[in-house]
Amino acid sequence: MKILGVSLFFFIFLAPFAFVTVQAFTGTYGINYGRIANNLPSPDEVVTLLKAAKIRNVRIYDADQSVLKAFSGTGLEIVVGLPNGNLRDVSADGDHAMSWVQDNVLAYLPDTCIRGIAIGNEVLGGSDQFSGFLLGAVKNVYNAVNKLKLSDVVQITTAHSQAVFANSFPPSSCVFRDNVVQYMKPLLEFFSQIGSPFCLNAYPFLAYMYDPEHIDINYALFLPTVGANDPKTKLHYDNLLDAQIDAAYAALEDAGFKKMEVIVTETGWASHGDENESAATVDNARTYNYNLRKRLAKMKGTPLRPKNVVKAYVFALFNENLKPGPTSERNFGLFKPDGSISYDIGFPGLKSSSADSLLLSLKDNRGCGWCGCYSIILTMATAFLLVFSR
């Protein structure tokens, strides 16, 4: 009876999960939750906002306890970040990597749906301050995740800026910069082994700002335009983001990684800027982000990779008033610090009159998702096995 009960339990409850590889991205749309500010809503209020907007995929740039606790039981899927400043220590010591994963990932699973760990951000292509530590950190974190039996739940990645490319137009001509290849090639080899994608921070806004004389702003904003043709592939591009993604695919193919998927981990448009940032307007930001949503909702690929559905995390959830740099850096948010919308692209704002009641209802009836279902299954498993062990 015990054997029959255990077998029956496995096939009914665990078999559907036994061979599932959990992806770090559900659907096509996600958002970056940056917090370089002193006036943002609480993490609990952010949960309310994300739920109301039906945004499920979220990236943060650290592993903040208050955020991870607030996301517990919500069904929201989050990618946490290992900051650049931690790369040296994690690269040098596998035990340090294990402690970090245990404290910042394992401790919150499965209630908080942590789907990935981003190792650093835009490490390659700029100064070489952290370049030599990236691969070691990636390997040590992955080994820790693997030892903890989490490698089919938590994906390991790192995001790159377009500074890793020698050129990006036409897309087919894109290759990695010579001073990046020595770090990029072994990193891609390892990611290819563990099934991780190439993560790209792609900003048509920045490309247009850099070369407004040769780039049509309509092309950057997904508006009707003559577009651009790639003379080598004979492919036509009607928007700049697709061209930037295909440039990354071309660089990957040149490096020997044709099958690797590209995911856009940051893209957005500033709504306000300095005098020399004339493209940073509310109208342009609204147009870009609204059209981006429509583009992603089509669930289609790019001209070069039509079968690889484009997935993107928008930058960013909020305007961040303490970010350094030009004014545009502090004005990429879809929402203002008080939770109201920066401009209308179809998302509801956080309304104070209903926020408290909505938050209560969400906490009482939070989304199940994989993590919630996993908790329920473990509970049912315990009860089931107790019955059949008698």
Side-chain angles (χ1 to χ4, degrees):
M1 185 64 175
K2 290 181 182 179
I3 296 175
L4 176 61
V6 172
S7 300
L8 184 62
F9 160 75
F10 177 84
F11 283 110
I12 293 176
F13 295 109
L14 292 187
F17 295 87
F19 305 104
V20 173
T21 299
V22 179
Q23 298 297 314
F25 203 117
T26 300
T28 61
Y29 192 93
I31 202 159
N32 287 277
Y33 173 19
R35 304 186 322 282
I36 305 177
N38 60 6
N39 58 355
L40 298 183
S42 70
D44 279 329
E45 291 174 306
V46 171
V47 167
T48 303
L49 190 64
L50 292 169
K51 282 282 196 174
K54 295 182 171 61
I55 299 174
R56 184 172 182 177
N57 302 290
V58 184
R59 294 177 80 244
I60 59 175
Y61 295 89
D62 52 20
D64 183 80
Q65 282 191 358
S66 63
V67 174
L68 295 179
K69 288 178 180 177
F71 276 46
S72 176
T74 63
L76 298 173
E77 302 187 357
I78 189 168
V79 174
V80 300
L82 177 72
N84 290 357
N86 293 56
L87 295 179
R88 181 193 297 267
D89 291 340
V90 170
S91 175
D93 188 351
D95 290 338
H96 190 97
M98 175 61 79
S99 296
W100 191 93
V101 173
Q102 288 176 326
D103 293 343
N104 297 287
V105 178
L106 182 64
Y108 297 94
L109 289 172
D111 293 335
T112 300
C113 297
I114 299 174
R115 287 288 179 264
I117 304 172
I119 311 299
N121 185 53
E122 298 187 346
V123 175
L124 305 181
S127 70
D128 285 336
Q129 182 180 3
F130 302 109
S131 298
F133 308 122
L134 181 58
L135 180 60
V138 164
K139 287 185 174 180
N140 280 346
V141 170
Y142 175 77
N143 288 338
V145 165
N146 197 40
K147 287 179 182 177
L148 294 171
K149 309 299 182 184
L150 298 175
S151 59
D152 60 342
V153 176
V154 179
Q155 189 178 69
I156 308 301
T157 59
T158 189
H160 305 284
S161 74
Q162 290 192 298
V164 300
F165 304 131
N167 54 287
S168 58
F169 187 83
S172 61
S173 69
C174 188
V175 294
F176 291 111
R177 286 172 50 186
D178 290 340
N179 64 336
V180 168
V181 171
Q182 60 176 317
Y183 303 111
M184 185 67 77
K185 195 74 178 289
L187 182 67
L188 294 176
E189 287 174 353
F190 185 69
F191 278 161
S192 180
Q193 293 170 13
I194 65 175
S196 291
F198 181 87
C199 293
L200 175 68
N201 295 344
Y203 286 91
F205 167 74
L206 296 179
Y208 174 78
M209 290 288 292
Y210 179 76
D211 192 10
E213 292 185 7
H214 296 97
I215 297 176
D216 179 2
I217 194 167
N218 290 335
Y219 181 59
L221 293 172
F222 301 96
L223 292 173
T225 176
V226 294
N229 295 311
D230 189 314
K232 180 180 178 181
T233 62
K234 310 301 182 184
L235 295 173
H236 177 76
Y237 291 88
D238 60 15
N239 71 82
L240 182 51
L241 182 64
D242 278 4
Q244 290 178 326
I245 295 170
D246 274 356
Y249 276 123
L252 288 170
E253 184 170 351
D254 178 75
F257 301 92
K258 183 178 180 178
K259 295 182 179 180
M260 186 170 288
E261 180 185 16
V262 174
I263 291 179
V264 178
T265 36
E266 286 184 19
T267 190
W269 199 285
S271 60
H272 184 58
D274 295 319
E275 289 186 6
N276 63 342
E277 298 178 304
S278 59
T281 67
V282 170
D283 188 53
N284 286 342
R286 180 194 300 113
T287 300
Y288 181 81
N289 282 295
Y290 178 75
N291 288 334
L292 174 66
R293 283 189 72 192
K294 291 201 303 181
R295 165 68 180 86
L296 296 175
K298 291 178 180 178
M299 302 283 289
K300 71 173 188 176
T302 60
L304 187 62
R305 294 287 187 272
K307 295 182 180 179
N308 289 10
V309 175
V310 174
K311 305 170 184 175
Y313 291 90
V314 174
F315 188 88
L317 186 57
F318 296 110
N319 290 333
E320 298 172 73
N321 68 334
L322 297 182
K323 288 198 73 174
T327 298
S328 60
E329 284 290 326
R330 294 178 287 282
N331 289 278
F332 274 89
L334 299 186
F335 297 90
K336 297 176 182 178
D338 63 1
S340 63
I341 57 174
S342 296
Y343 39 81
D344 187 8
I345 61 169
F347 290 137
L350 185 63
K351 299 177 181 178
S352 58
S353 60
S354 60
D356 292 339
S357 60
L358 180 57
L359 184 58
L360 275 174
S361 67
L362 287 172
K363 285 189 171 181
D364 291 339
N365 187 25
R366 293 192 168 194
C368 178
W370 182 88
C371 292
C373 291
Y374 185 65
S375 298
I376 293 170
I377 284 184
L378 288 180
T379 303
M380 293 174 68
T382 304
F384 196 94
L385 290 176
L386 282 172
V387 170
F388 280 97
S389 63
R390 292 178 178 177

